């Protein structure tokens, strides 16, 4: 590990990897990435892997739309020799309550205004897209064919390999233990494998973002919460889009390999750092998904696991600088959709750090918005 | 939710012995097995056991299985759940079971993992063709269901299982083309090896399988000689027309539930693979989780029964059911029995493995 660098990025998840790559690509010479475990070992490698622009708040829609544009050419841009498995088979988002259906109509209107070609579907039209779907009790659905999913491990690895080729120093099993400031500026980063002097520090520590922020005296209004997920044995192809419901609180997608990945958003899950899992989830997940997609009845579960969401008060990430700590930047609090936003956030953060005008206006996603009271809660999360 | 004091996963010799021992102190036991009857691998072992007569040697495995099953049926403290799979063990001490009635959680105060071992697979082209079997599967087909696996068999592995199954195949009227052994010497007891040599079956040491071939199923196998570095020697290939390839290349402990319980696992090659660290009471580093039999290291049925008994005794003691002096005395008796069972030449490898394990255990507690 180098003794000094132009920038240190904390976190070897997809967000940190994308930031490190973009800094190097934009001409920064010396970038060190510190990861306390190995790549994608936190939230990235545990996520549901979905990528969608069907959001209900403007910032998320803009960011996701730009991210999908980038995902479409990502493997090529990064010179990755394998497949990141980006598949655009759409998201089918189901409405089961009047309230939800009203919200979807508003979402689609906003999405159209921002250039997203989402559609409102009747239950019959939804069934045309997913013939296996049980539409009982469904009022309708929204669908957008540009949405899809990608492989989080390959995507992160693609960013890290590209960063390494550009001279980046990617350090696994290197835990940041302290950050030294001098006259309100970032000076040095202490790690379990030595110190690095650097004028720039990027906090992309995922669930540990608040711990890192504390090292520079910044309090983040975030909490972490466990989300559980499972994968089945591979089965014949039956599910093109990601199927999702906010009122039931589930998502479900079939991977290119044929296995089916699904999860539940349960507000009663423990907050903190518990990444264990429960039998109750297994039973609940199975009963819900078999109601929605009865063909899954006899399919076997091969594995269950959990990961952490890092939630902000408005379910939008916190991006950029913090007044009073020069050289400190953060890309944190992704509230469960960090994987899909990583490509665009990588570019935006590097533009901010290098003093350029970010290509999307994200001034409203700074930490100060919560104090100013200038934020709008994203309505469409699982 | 259904509750039990001690859940025992695996109704083989280890699990049954553990269940009976704990039940003898009034512990309410739930014994779980994937099979529809208790007995584990014993239900297919038609041969007589060797060794210590007081501990069941001279008895056939199937007879022993019947005896043990009867004890289970007659014991009012033991509930047997057959055709039931333990899917997972969770932090709230719940075993999730897949029973013929559906998925059921079972809360258990103590858990004994006696899941046994699974057969090792060999890597060679064509190993996924129908007709490639594990020796255990061949034994089950023949000895439990009365089905011959094929007409002509290549046996890979000359340990006791490979030798005994070869003999049983011949008894069932199946031709055994050859027994292969990668090592320079035969792995199993001479008494078994002599029996099949007398039948004219060649045992080829220093040989292994190169590939299996066939159109949709095994039609033959190519074998070859190995050099001292275990590589096949080109030019020594021989083609054997067989329709079954039987792999008897060893066993590896089944520790999934132990991993899930958070028990510390160590790789010890003499014991067959990953095994849990455990103390003199057969308790793992996961509190209240005990282990016995092949899951703690691959051995044989007599040691499995002794270990099971010790684990069942310890579980009962930890639930406050065994007077301390009785516990200490009985524990010493069983440990002494295990020592004697491992005293022969075949026990040396196990003792070496156990020593490695105990050194690692000390490192952990230090």
């Amino acid at each position: 590990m180098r003794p000094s660098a132009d920038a240190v990025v904390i976190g070897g998840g997809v967000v940190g990897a994308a930031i490190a790559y973009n800094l190097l690509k934009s001409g920064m010479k010396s970038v060190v990435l510190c990861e306390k475990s190995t790549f994608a070992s936190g939230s990235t490698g545990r996520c549901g892997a979905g990528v969608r622009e069907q959001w209900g708040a403007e910032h998320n829609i803009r960011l996701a739309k730009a991210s999908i544009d980038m995902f479409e050419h990502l493997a090529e841009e990064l010179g990755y020799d394998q497949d990141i498995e980006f598949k655009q088979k759409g998201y089918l988002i189901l409405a089961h309550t009047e309230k939800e259906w009203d919200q979807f109509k508003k979402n689609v209107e906003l999405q159209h205004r921002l250039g997203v070609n989402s559609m409102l579907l009747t239950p019959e039209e939804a069934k045309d897209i997913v013939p296996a779907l049980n539409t009982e009790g469904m009022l309708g659905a929204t669908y957008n064919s540009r949405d899809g999913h990608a492989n989080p491990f390959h995507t992160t690895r693609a960013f890290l390999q590209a960063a390494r080729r550009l001279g980046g120093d990617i350090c696994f099993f290197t835990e940041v233990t302290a950050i030294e400031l001098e006259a309100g500026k970032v000076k040095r980063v202490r790690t379990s494998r030595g110190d690095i002097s650097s004028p720039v520090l990027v906090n992309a520590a995922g669930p540990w973002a608040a711990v890192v922020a504390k090292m520079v005296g910044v309090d983040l209004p975030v909490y972490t919460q466990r989300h559980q997920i499972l994968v089945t044995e591979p089965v014949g192809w039956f599910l093109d889009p990601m199927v999702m419901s906010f009122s039931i609180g589930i998502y479900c997608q079939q991977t290119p390999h044929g296995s089916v990945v699904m999860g539940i958003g349960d507000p009663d899950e423990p907050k903190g750092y518990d990444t264990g899992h429960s039998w109750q989830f297994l039973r609940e997940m199975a009963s819900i998904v078999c109601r929605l997609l009865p063909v899954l009845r006899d399919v076997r579960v091969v594995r269950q696991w959990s990961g952490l969401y890092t939630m902000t008060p408005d379910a939008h990430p916190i991006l950029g600088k913090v007044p009073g700590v020069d050289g400190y930047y953060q890309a944190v609090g992704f509230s469960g959709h960090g994987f899909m936003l990583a490509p665009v956030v990588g570019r935006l953060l590097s533009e901010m750090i290098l003093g350029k005008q970010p290509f999307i206006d994200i001034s409203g996603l700074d930490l100060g918005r919560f104090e100013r009271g200038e934020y709008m809660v994203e309505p469409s999360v699982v | 939710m259904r509750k039990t004091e001690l859940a025992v996963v695996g109704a083989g010799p280890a699990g049954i012995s553990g269940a009976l021992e704990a039940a003898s102190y009034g512990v309410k036991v739930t014994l779980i097995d994937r099979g529809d009857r208790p007995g584990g691998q014993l239900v297919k072992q038609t041969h007589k056991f060797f060794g210590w007569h007081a501990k069941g040697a001279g008895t056939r495995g199937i007879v022993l299985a019947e005896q043990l099953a009867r004890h289970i049926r007659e014991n009012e403290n033991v509930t047997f759940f057959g055709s039931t799979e333990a899917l997972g063990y969770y932090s709230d001490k719940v075993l999730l079971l897949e029973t013929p009635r559906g998925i059921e959680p079972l809360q258990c105060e103590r858990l004994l993992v006696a899941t046994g071992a699974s057969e090792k697979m060999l890597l060679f082209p064509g190993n996924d063709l129908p007709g490639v079997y594990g020796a255990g599967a061949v034994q089950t087909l023949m000895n439990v269901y009365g089905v011959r696996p094929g007409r002509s068999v290549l046996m890979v592995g000359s340990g006791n299982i490979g030798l005994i199954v070869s003999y049983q195949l011949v008894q069932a009227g199946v031709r055994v083309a050859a027994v292969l052994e990668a090592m320079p010497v035969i792995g199993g007891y001479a008494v078994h090896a002599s029996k099949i040599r007398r039948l004219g079956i060649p045992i080829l040491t220093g040989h292994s399988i190169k590939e299996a071939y066939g159109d949709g199923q095994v039609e033959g196998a190519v074998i070859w000689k190995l050099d001292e570095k275990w590589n096949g020697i080109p030019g020594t290939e021989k083609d054997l027309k067989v329709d079954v390839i039987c792999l008897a290349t060893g066993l590896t402990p089944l520790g999934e539930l132990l991993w899930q319980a958070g028990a510390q696992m160590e790789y010890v090659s003499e014991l067959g693979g990953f095994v849990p660290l455990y103390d003199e009471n057969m308790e793992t580093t996961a509190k209240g989780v005990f282990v016995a039999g092949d899951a703690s290291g691959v051995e044989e049925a007599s040691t499995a029964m002794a270990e099971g008994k010790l684990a069942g005794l310890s579980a009962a003691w930890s639930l406050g059911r065994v007077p301390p002096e009785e516990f200490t005395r009985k524990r010493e008796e069983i440990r002494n029995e295990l020592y004697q069972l491992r005293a022969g030449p075949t026990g040396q490898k196990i003792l070496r493995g156990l020593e490695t394990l105990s050194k690692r255990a000390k490192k952990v507690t230090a």
Side-chain angles (χ1 to χ4, degrees):
Chain A
M1 198 173 64
R2 298 165 197 177
S4 69
D6 300 329
V8 172
V9 178
I10 303 177
V14 69
V15 172
I19 294 169
Y21 162 74
N22 275 280
L23 285 171
L24 290 153
K25 182 192 151 198
S26 305
M28 198 177 251
K29 288 280 169 291
S30 177
V31 176
V32 176
L33 183 146
C34 297
E35 160 58 50
K36 73 185 174 94
S37 176
T38 184
F39 81 99
S41 57
S43 296
T44 301
R46 299 162 179 270
C47 80
V51 179
R52 63 168 154 131
E53 27 178 46
Q54 293 188 75
W55 289 94
E58 191 163 336
H59 274 301
N60 275 333
I61 299 172
R62 283 187 199 281
L63 290 174
K65 185 170 185 298
S67 220
I68 288 183
D69 290 342
M70 296 166 86
F71 263 113
E72 287 178 340
H73 310 285
L74 198 60
E76 215 177 317
E77 182 194 329
L78 298 175
Y80 193 51
D81 56 359
Q82 291 178 61
D83 187 0
I84 65 163
E85 296 171 11
F86 181 52
K87 296 282 170 330
Q88 288 171 293
K89 301 269 188 183
Y91 256 62
L92 186 70
I93 307 182
L94 315 177
H96 286 92
T97 66
E98 287 291 347
K99 191 176 157 222
E100 193 171 33
W101 190 226
D102 287 343
Q103 178 67 47
F104 283 10
K105 288 176 193 160
K106 284 184 212 151
N107 287 1
V108 166
E109 214 176 287
L110 178 64
Q111 287 158 9
H112 284 182
R113 194 156 62 70
L114 297 172
V116 172
N117 294 317
S118 51
M119 298 186 270
L120 286 168
L121 302 182
T122 64
E124 294 71 36
E125 288 167 329
K127 208 171 164 70
D128 285 342
I129 295 172
V130 179
L133 189 68
N134 174 8
T135 54
E136 202 185 306
M138 237 179 87
L139 300 177
T142 67
Y143 176 73
N144 175 39
S145 63
R146 238 166 69 93
D147 297 344
H149 48 80
N151 183 315
F153 297 96
H154 278 299
T155 305
T156 308
R157 194 158 161 267
F159 273 118
L160 289 175
Q161 283 189 354
R164 272 202 171 120
R165 273 200 305 277
L166 293 168
D169 193 0
I170 312 298
C171 305
F172 295 146
F173 301 102
T174 305
E175 185 171 356
V176 171
T177 53
I179 297 159
E180 288 177 30
L181 303 178
E182 205 174 270
K185 292 176 70 163
V186 169
K187 173 82 178 156
R188 190 175 293 116
V189 179
R190 291 208 164 149
T191 83
S192 55
R193 288 174 54 206
D195 297 354
I196 320 160
S197 310
S198 174
V200 172
L201 174 79
V202 187
N203 180 357
W208 296 277
V211 178
V212 171
K214 263 239 151 53
M215 294 179 187
V216 295
V218 170
D219 276 324
L220 291 181
V222 298
Y223 65 88
T224 51
Q225 187 172 26
R226 181 174 87 175
H227 279 245
Q228 299 197 57
I229 180 166
L230 65 79
V231 63
T232 70
E233 65 186 330
V235 291
W237 195 260
F238 78 102
L239 187 60
D240 276 339
M242 171 86 88
V243 171
M244 195 170 203
S245 160
F246 302 119
S247 56
I248 303 174
I250 78 150
Y251 60 86
C252 175
Q253 56 120 327
Q254 190 170 20
T255 71
H257 164 64
S259 61
V260 187
V261 171
M262 60 189 85
I264 300 185
D266 174 358
D268 297 331
E269 283 283 359
K271 292 176 181 169
Y273 288 95
D274 176 359
T275 49
H277 43 256
S278 70
W279 56 273
Q280 289 92 339
F281 161 75
L282 209 55
R283 208 156 69 161
E284 198 187 337
M285 182 83 248
S287 86
I288 292 174
V289 84
C290 291
R291 252 196 330 268
L292 272 185
L293 296 162
V295 294
L296 287 170
R297 286 191 77 93
D298 292 321
V299 176
R300 299 185 76 87
V301 174
V302 296
R303 193 164 65 251
Q304 69 177 117
W305 69 95
S306 72
L308 301 171
Y309 275 25
T310 308
M311 297 300 298
T312 61
D314 59 1
H316 282 76
I318 304 170
L319 303 177
K321 305 183 190 195
V322 179
V325 195
D326 271 8
Y328 172 72
Y329 296 83
Q330 49 192 12
V332 300
F334 283 88
S335 308
H337 45 287
F339 173 62
M340 68 177 80
L341 297 186
V344 70
V345 164
R347 177 168 163 194
L348 290 167
L349 260 282
S350 95
E351 286 169 345
M352 285 175 134
I353 292 163
L354 297 167
K356 297 178 195 161
Q357 182 68 30
F359 83 108
I360 296 174
D361 178 17
I362 48 164
S363 53
L365 291 178
D366 66 336
L367 177 59
R369 70 181 186 264
F370 301 111
E371 234 167 70
R372 298 193 302 271
E374 293 170 4
Y375 62 90
M376 194 202 126
V377 178
E378 169 60 60
S380 300
V381 287
V382 167
Chain B
M1 194 190 328
R2 198 187 286 271
K3 291 189 166 79
T4 191
E5 287 185 294
L6 172 65
V8 180
V9 183
I16 292 175
S17 304
L20 291 173
E21 182 68 16
S24 75
Y25 289 98
V27 175
K28 297 288 177 202
V29 182
T30 306
L31 178 61
I32 296 141
D33 199 277
R34 192 156 54 183
D36 58 357
R37 65 193 103 168
Q41 304 308 307
L42 292 175
V43 302
K44 62 176 89 159
Q45 293 174 2
T46 49
H47 58 283
K48 289 179 181 171
F49 278 35
F50 282 96
W52 194 355
H53 267 270
K55 297 295 160 194
T59 314
R60 293 184 195 279
I62 44 171
V63 175
L64 198 55
E66 273 162 25
Q67 286 170 1
L68 291 171
R70 199 178 62 241
H71 292 317
I72 291 294
R73 272 198 307 274
E74 287 167 358
N75 197 310
E76 57 177 14
N77 286 331
V78 181
T79 310
F80 178 65
F81 279 16
S83 305
T84 296
E85 245 181 285
L87 299 177
Y89 180 67
Y90 293 83
S91 55
D92 50 358
K93 296 188 176 179
V94 168
L95 264 180
L96 197 61
L97 304 178
E98 185 180 14
T99 76
R101 302 169 296 281
I103 302 286
E104 281 180 25
L106 172 69
Q107 184 127 46
C108 49
E109 288 177 48
R110 300 288 184 275
L111 172 66
L112 169 54
V113 177
T115 41
S118 70
E119 298 186 278
K120 286 181 188 165
M121 188 64 190
L122 263 192
L123 294 179
F124 55 87
N127 72 354
D128 57 348
L129 279 173
V132 179
Y133 288 88
V138 165
Q139 245 186 337
T140 305
L141 274 180
M142 289 193 304
N143 303 350
V144 181
Y145 300 109
V147 174
R148 275 196 296 238
R151 287 179 301 274
S152 180
V153 174
L154 170 66
M155 180 66 65
V156 184
S158 75
N160 281 330
I161 294 177
L163 297 173
I164 291 168
V165 173
S166 294
Y167 188 73
Q168 292 173 351
L169 280 161
V170 174
Q171 284 181 312
V174 181
R175 174 180 164 256
V176 176
V179 177
L180 304 187
E181 173 56 57
M183 298 283 279
V185 292
I186 294 169
Y189 293 148
V191 59
H192 294 310
S194 309
K195 252 159 94 176
I196 69 165
R197 282 296 296 123
R198 283 199 294 273
L199 293 169
I201 299 168
I203 303 177
L204 305 173
T205 54
H207 273 74
S208 189
I209 182 166
K210 186 185 179 192
E211 61 176 329
Y213 62 86
D215 181 14
Q217 63 183 73
V218 171
E219 289 169 11
V222 178
I223 63 169
W224 59 357
K225 269 191 192 163
L226 300 180
D227 64 19
E228 65 281 2
K229 286 182 178 161
W230 304 82
N231 295 315
I233 304 170
T236 62
E237 288 92 344
K238 261 187 229 143
D239 191 337
L240 299 178
K241 296 279 172 237
V242 292
D243 60 355
V244 170
I245 294 164
C246 184
L247 302 178
T249 46
L251 299 165
T252 193
L254 278 171
E256 288 90 341
L257 290 172
L258 296 161
W259 286 101
Q260 288 176 355
Q264 185 169 343
M265 306 292 283
E266 292 286 341
Y267 189 88
V268 182
S269 63
E270 290 94 338
L271 301 178
F274 277 101
V275 291
L277 295 183
Y278 58 87
D279 65 11
E280 67 275 17
N281 302 334
M282 304 303 298
E283 188 172 6
T284 68
T285 57
K287 195 122 192 63
V289 179
F290 297 82
V291 68
D294 280 0
S296 73
V298 174
E299 282 186 84
E300 41 73 55
S302 330
T303 47
M305 285 190 280
E307 282 185 348
K309 196 173 171 187
L310 178 51
L313 174 74
S314 303
W317 173 72
S318 75
L319 289 163
R321 303 294 173 75
V322 188
E325 280 145 47
E326 185 174 340
F327 173 63
T328 315
R329 179 180 54 77
K330 264 188 120 169
R331 183 176 68 181
E332 278 327 294
E333 262 173 40
I334 304 170
R335 287 170 63 81
N336 190 37
E337 183 184 316
L338 277 166
Y339 176 78
Q340 293 190 44
L341 284 167
R342 289 168 180 148
T346 45
Q348 294 312 303
K349 188 173 98 174
I350 297 300
L351 291 174
R352 272 202 314 279
L354 291 174
E355 195 168 325
T356 307
L357 194 62
S358 88
K359 274 184 199 150
R360 302 212 187 143
K362 276 180 197 130
K363 238 193 229 162
V364 170
T365 48

